[in-house]
Structure formats: structure tokens, C-alpha cells
Amino acid sequence: MYHQNKIRDPRFRIAHREAWIGVGLALFNFIWWYSFAYGLGSKPISEYHYIFGLPAWFFYSCVVGFIVVTLLVIVCVKFTFKDFPLDDGEEERDDLS
Amino acid sequence: MNTWVVVTLFLFLIIILLVGLYMSKFTKKPADFLQEYFLGSRQLGGFILAMSMVATYGSASSFLSGPGTAYNVGLGWVLLASIQVVTGYFTLMVLGKKFAIVARKMKAVTMIDFLKTRYHNKWVAIFAAVSIVIFLFASMAAQWVGGGRLIQSITGLPYISALFIFTLAALIFVVVGGFRALAMTDMIQGTIMFAGTLILLIGTIIAGGGIPHIIHQMRAADPGLITPYGPHHQLSSAYVSSFWILVGVGVIGLPQITIRAMSYKNSKSLHRAIIIGTIVVGVIMLGMHLTGAFARAVIPGVKVGDEVMPLLAMKVLPPWLAGIVLAAPMAAIISTVDALLLLVSSSIIKDIILNYIKPNMQQPTVRRWSHWVTAIIGVIVFIMAIHPPNLLIWLNLFAFGGLESAFIWPILFGLYWRKGNAYGALASMITGVVLYVVIQSFMEWGWISEPLGVNPVVLPVVFSFIVFVSVSIMTDRKIDKEQLLRQNRWLS
């Protein structure tokens, strides 16, 4: 079987975490988008509220949703994404295997 | 058409050509020609990477047919288009650094290099290369026709002359300069797309007498236009949500996007590209489609969806500004076409000829072949675009979803699941492509409607997932692991 050995590139652990952050953000994005659009949008039109002239469902789902997700992306990238070299200085590590 | 619009548009085409040619002189220097020509030596900075992703992804439909549909069905279509915000960060985060590191370890130049090394199987590589060449050739030709038609409608020139002008503007620098020249012009084109969107949105809101007035008019025209469901309740929540796969997360499977995820310089470029890309793609997609929906209140009664945006730009903007805005769809088409052209040519040269036909080709020969093959494909597409054959139009229907169904799991599992193997990958690619083509064709012929009321890409993606996982587990014992690990030390 594929055995776990010690030469596993330590950068992968960080890369995997960052990939999961991407999945999490997309899930959050979907839930926000769906619940505002169809939560508020399925009411009868006579009961619609309007914000800056736009129907509330659209304003929250698309406009606010876009702003919130963009802010979250910025926060995630600035505070959780790590800066490391992508090229290999990996000749030494290869010799061990 | 107005002279000013034509002048602005031609200025734009000339600038693109000159910048592209200027950048192309850099391709002569580096030692490894293939890495430079098809990948820009992995030197893209954050801003260029973001703009290149956006410009490649944004095509004629983002500026013409998409907003045209929003004009007809209202805010529900804008809701659907806003899903595309996710592509701005998802692709780069999920493929992310893992893909960049692994591609560098493998010295992969194309997505197929990655698949071939990872799965260590030539049938995976051949099936992938053939799918890319067929599907992308068709979608490139379709965009080419769109580019010709756009120039024709703006200038009033005959179609053939318009097509010829488009070919000159789109083809020359990419043949000479390759990926780097393309990425640089993408940067300009992305900027034009971004600016054009904002200008047109603001112009439309002013011409319509403010947002509350526009929404009021839309409601008066048809109350369905301001609901998420459209005028005839044609947009169910399941249907719209299913586009999260086609134009959202599934974009990971598009080779023209994944190739960019291995072309950036360092972590910092990636970080910057994720932020800029999210903002730019969000503004363009949301802005353009919202403009299209608002146009219903400003220029009612347009019959052909594709004509909404050009008519709107001429109506609400001064002519020279309309010229800049109409350069945006032109930019979108050129950047998409060139990205596809380079990808098809890399598949032919690198993945087919160098891998299986003439492995011992010398650098200078590779260089000559690359330029020639790229140029010849361009000329063939030009000729086919004069009288596009039906087969081409038929194939183009499948390009987007077909490639996504084929590649999404082989790429993702290749990167993140050690047990994913060649049998699983091959079975999943075949399942995805065949199922997608069958469903689409049956829908075209009117035999079935959308399965389960969702976009036809959903079922193939689900099934190819199941097939990938089960076949990989069943065949796990057959795989020569020593051999696989020798090629992919990073897997251990």
C-alpha cells in the first residue's frame, strides 16, 4: 500500500488547508445566495420590499452577497494563506527516498 | 453605424496587435521553448493572472447573449449570472498551490502532461488530448464566427472582410508570441471589459431615470421580470441552482482555465489574483447582466437578444464612449479565441506529436513546428468560419459541459486522492463525455427535456464521480504502485 513516509512535502498540508477554505467559501456563498434569493423572492410581488430601488431579495442575494464574499475572500487570503516558494529545492529530499 | 464607434474599435484592434507583437519578442530568449511558448515560463504576476482568467472565461455570451437573455427574463437571469462570482476564487483556491507545486515537480506544460504523469497511462493522455482538440476547436470556431459577425454589424463591411480583419487581429501576435503575448493582451482586454461594464451600467441607470424608476417600469412591463422566476415561471430554483456546477465550481474542469492555474510566478501572485479575480469577474458578470435586465426599461421592444447591448450602448452613451464599450465584447471574443487556439496547438504539438509521434524532436524544430501548427489551425478555423458546417455548431454545444464532465474528477482526484488511478480516470472521462453528449443531443432533437429539471451537465458530473471512485477502488490491486510512485514521488 502507499505508506506514509516522512518525505512527504510539508507544503502540501498548507495547500490542502487552503483548498478546503475555497470549498468552505463556495458553500457559504451558495447558502447565502440561495436563502436570500428564494427566501425573500418567493413572496408575492405585492409584499416585496425595495432597497435602493432593487427588490430586497436581489439586493441581499446578489449585491450584498457579492460584497460579503469578496470581503471574506480578502480576509481569508490576507490572514490564512501562507507565502512559500512553489519551486523545488527538493534534490536532497529525493535522495532520501 | 457611427464613424466614431468604428474608429474607436479599430484603434482598439491595432493597440492589441501592437502590444501583442511587442511582447512576443520575449519568447526568443529562454532555454526551454515549450515552457515559454505555451506557459509563459510560469512568470505571470497576480494582476495579469487574474485578468487573463477573467478574459479567457468571459466570452461573447457574457456581453451579448447573456445580457440579451436578462433583457427577456429579468432579474432571475442576473441571479443566475451572479453565480459566476465563485469562479473568481474557487478555481485558484482549490487547484491552488498543490497544482502549482506538483506541475513544477513534473515540469508539466499542459494539463495533459499532468494527467499523463499522474496516472502513468497513455490512453488517459490520448483520450484527453483528442477531447480537447475536438471540443475546443469547435468552440473556437463558433467564437470566431461571433467575432466576424460583431465587426460586420458595427462596421457594415461584408462578412468575409470582417472575418479577415478579426483573424488578423486575433491570430498574428499569438502565433508569434505565444502565451506571454496572449497574457499581456488579456490584461488590456480584461481592463476594457471591466471599464466598459461600469460605463454602460451607469449610463443605463442615468438614461432610465434611476434604479427605482427602472424597476417600476420592469414591473409594469411584466411583474415576473423582478422575481427570481422569470415572466413565465420558467426559472425554477433547482434549474438556476444547477448552474452552480456549469458556470461555478465545474469551471475547474476547463483546460483553458486550469492551464492558467499552473502559469503563475509565486504564492504572492496567486493571492493577489484570487482577490482581483473575484472582484473583476463579479463586477463584469453582475454589471453586464444587470444592465441587460435594466435595458428592458430603457429600450423596450428589441426582438433579437444579441442586439440588445449594441443598441443600448449607442442609445445611452456618446459615440466615442459607445466605441469603447463595444470593444468589450470584441476583447472577450479575441481573448477566448486566442486562449483556445494556443491550447489546441499545445495539445497537438506537446501531447500528441512530441509524446507519441516524434519524441526526439530538437528545440529549433519544436519551435518551428509550434509556430506553424498554431498558424495553420488559425487559418483552418478562418476557412471553416466562412461557411460554418453543421457538425461544428453541433460540437460547440458540447464544448463547455463536455470538457467539465471529462476533466473535473481526473484533475481533482489526481491531485487530492492517492487511490485515484488510471482505470478510474479513463472510465470517468468516457462516462462524462458520452453521457453529456447523449443528453444534450436528445434534448436538441426534442426527445427529452432537461433531466430532473436541471442543467444537463449535472448528471454526467455526478455519474463520472461515482464511476471514478468505484472503478478506482475495484482496480486498486491491479496498479503497479512501485512504478507509479517512481514517477510521482509527491504521492507517497
Side-chain angles (χ1 to χ4, degrees), chain B residues 309-464:
Chain B
M309 294 319 252
L311 289 175
L312 182 73
M314 312 274 233
K315 159 102 182 173
V316 304
L317 297 173
W320 61 275
L321 209 53
I324 297 181
V325 168
L326 289 178
M330 202 67 237
I333 297 175
I334 292 183
S335 52
T336 305
V337 155
D338 283 343
L340 300 184
L341 176 65
L342 211 53
L343 203 64
V344 171
S345 137
S346 75
S347 297
I348 293 179
I349 305 245
K350 180 77 180 52
D351 303 322
I352 297 176
I353 298 184
L354 273 177
N355 274 347
Y356 302 111
I357 301 176
K358 288 182 88 171
N360 302 322
M361 219 187 266
Q362 296 297 308
Q363 269 302 316
T365 328
V366 172
R367 174 184 309 229
R368 210 166 43 240
W369 274 67
S370 302
H371 292 303
W372 274 111
V373 168
T374 313
I376 290 169
I377 299 169
V379 173
I380 297 177
V381 176
F382 169 72
I383 293 168
M384 291 185 84
I386 298 175
H387 293 292
N390 283 333
L391 177 68
L392 211 67
I393 295 160
W394 187 73
L395 280 171
N396 176 49
L397 275 179
F398 308 136
F400 219 71
L403 288 168
E404 287 181 3
S405 323
F407 291 124
I408 183 166
W409 301 118
I411 290 179
L412 278 181
F413 284 138
L415 277 178
Y416 293 109
W417 190 40
R418 246 169 287 167
K419 285 200 175 173
N421 66 30
Y423 303 108
L426 198 59
S428 134
M429 288 199 287
I430 294 172
T431 311
V433 171
V434 171
L435 195 57
Y436 186 77
V437 169
V438 167
I439 293 179
Q440 271 284 14
S441 311
F442 282 12
M443 280 170 51
E444 271 301 292
W445 299 327
W447 293 0
I448 54 171
S449 56
E450 271 127 357
L452 310 175
V454 296
N455 186 282
V457 81
V458 176
L459 282 183
V461 166
V462 171
F463 274 96
S464 57

Side-chain angles (χ1 to χ4, degrees), chain B residues 14-28 171-177 181 185:
Chain B
I14 290 168
I15 291 173
I16 291 295
L17 190 63
L18 290 181
V19 171
L21 284 177
Y22 175 77
M23 284 318 295
S24 60
K25 68 180 188 182
F26 289 100
T27 50
K28 298 203 174 69
L171 196 61
I172 293 183
F173 72 84
V174 82
V175 168
V176 184
T185 54

Side-chain angles (χ1 to χ4, degrees), chain B residues 96-325:
Chain B
K97 290 169 190 160
K98 179 93 182 243
F99 193 48
I101 296 169
V102 169
R104 279 167 164 80
K105 282 180 197 278
M106 293 174 171
K107 297 189 172 53
V109 175
T110 63
M111 189 182 90
I112 294 168
D113 281 343
F114 166 75
L115 295 176
K116 175 172 163 255
T117 315
R118 166 61 180 83
Y119 293 109
H120 192 61
N121 180 301
K122 76 170 180 184
W123 295 110
V124 171
I126 292 175
F127 186 82
V130 171
S131 324
I132 287 184
V133 172
I134 294 177
F135 283 134
L136 287 189
F137 189 87
S139 75
M140 176 165 61
Q143 293 274 330
W144 215 282
V145 174
R149 294 250 165 86
L150 188 65
I151 293 187
Q152 179 192 21
S153 72
I154 292 174
T155 59
L157 290 169
Y159 175 65
I160 301 253
S161 325
L163 201 64
F164 188 69
I165 293 173
F166 178 82
T167 306
L168 279 185
L171 196 61
I172 293 183
F173 72 84
V174 82
V175 168
V176 184
F179 192 85
R180 189 188 297 258
L182 171 60
M184 291 306 292
T185 54
D186 276 354
M187 187 173 68
I188 303 172
Q189 321 214 42
T191 310
I192 289 178
M193 287 155 67
F194 185 76
T197 304
L198 289 178
I199 295 170
L200 190 57
L201 177 61
I202 294 168
T204 308
I205 292 175
I206 294 172
I211 299 176
H213 188 244
I214 293 176
I215 295 290
H216 187 79
Q217 299 269 63
M218 287 168 69
R219 186 179 167 175
D222 189 327
L225 291 173
I226 64 165
T227 71
Y229 302 106
H232 311 293
H233 268 257
Q234 65 267 63
L235 303 172
S236 73
S237 60
Y239 178 74
V240 174
S241 301
S242 69
F243 278 79
W244 273 79
I245 293 184
L246 185 72
V247 299
V249 298
V251 168
I252 277 190
L254 292 179
Q256 64 268 44
I257 300 294
T258 40
I259 182 81
R260 278 161 178 73
M262 54 195 244
S263 66
Y264 53 89
K265 191 159 49 175
N266 52 33
S267 305
K268 276 208 178 65
S269 336
L270 174 73
H271 297 169
R272 189 169 301 154
I274 291 173
I275 295 174
I276 298 173
T278 307
I279 296 172
V280 174
V281 89
V283 167
I284 291 179
M285 295 306 169
L286 206 53
M288 264 297 148
H289 290 81
L290 193 56
T291 307
F294 284 175
R296 182 74 172 247
V298 181
I299 43 164
V302 180
K303 292 280 181 294
V304 183
D306 282 4
E307 287 174 2
V308 171
M309 294 319 252
L311 289 175
L312 182 73
M314 312 274 233
K315 159 102 182 173
V316 304
L317 297 173
W320 61 275
L321 209 53
I324 297 181
V325 168

Side-chain angles (χ1 to χ4, degrees), chain B residues 60-72 77 81 288-289 292 305-306 309:
Chain B
S61 74
S62 327
F63 290 88
L64 299 170
S65 55
T69 311
Y71 179 92
N72 286 317
W77 201 258
M288 264 297 148
H289 290 81
D306 282 4
M309 294 319 252

Side-chain angles (χ1 to χ4, degrees), chain A residues 4 9 11 16 18 29-30 33-34 38 42 45 50 53 57 61 82-84 86-88 90 94, chain B residues 79 82 89 97-98 101 104-105 215 219 223 226-229 237 240-241 244 267-268 279 418 489:
Chain A
Q4 291 282 356
D9 196 322
R11 293 174 297 178
H16 289 183
E18 292 176 2
N29 196 347
F30 175 76
W33 173 92
Y34 189 92
Y38 295 103
S42 54
I45 298 174
Y50 298 88
W57 69 265
S61 172
K82 296 277 185 292
D83 191 3
F84 53 75
L86 303 169
D87 286 307
D88 274 348
E90 100 142 359
D94 270 4
Chain B
L79 178 70
S82 77
Y89 58 89
K97 290 169 190 160
K98 179 93 182 243
I101 296 169
R104 279 167 164 80
K105 282 180 197 278
I215 295 290
R219 186 179 167 175
I226 64 165
T227 71
Y229 302 106
S237 60
V240 174
S241 301
W244 273 79
S267 305
K268 276 208 178 65
I279 296 172
R418 246 169 287 167
R489 287 213 172 116

Side-chain angles (χ1 to χ4, degrees), chain A residues 38-96:
Chain A
Y38 295 103
L40 295 174
S42 54
K43 285 195 283 192
I45 298 174
S46 52
E47 290 171 26
Y48 272 15
H49 289 282
Y50 298 88
I51 301 164
F52 295 116
L54 293 166
W57 69 265
F58 182 81
F59 181 76
Y60 285 117
S61 172
C62 294
V63 182
V64 181
F66 172 46
I67 295 169
V68 168
V69 166
T70 306
L71 290 178
L72 278 177
V73 166
I74 294 174
V75 169
C76 286
V77 169
K78 292 273 182 216
F79 295 104
T80 65
F81 275 45
K82 296 277 185 292
D83 191 3
F84 53 75
L86 303 169
D87 286 307
D88 274 348
E90 100 142 359
E91 262 48 62
E92 317 83 15
R93 265 206 306 275
D94 270 4
D95 293 341
L96 294 175

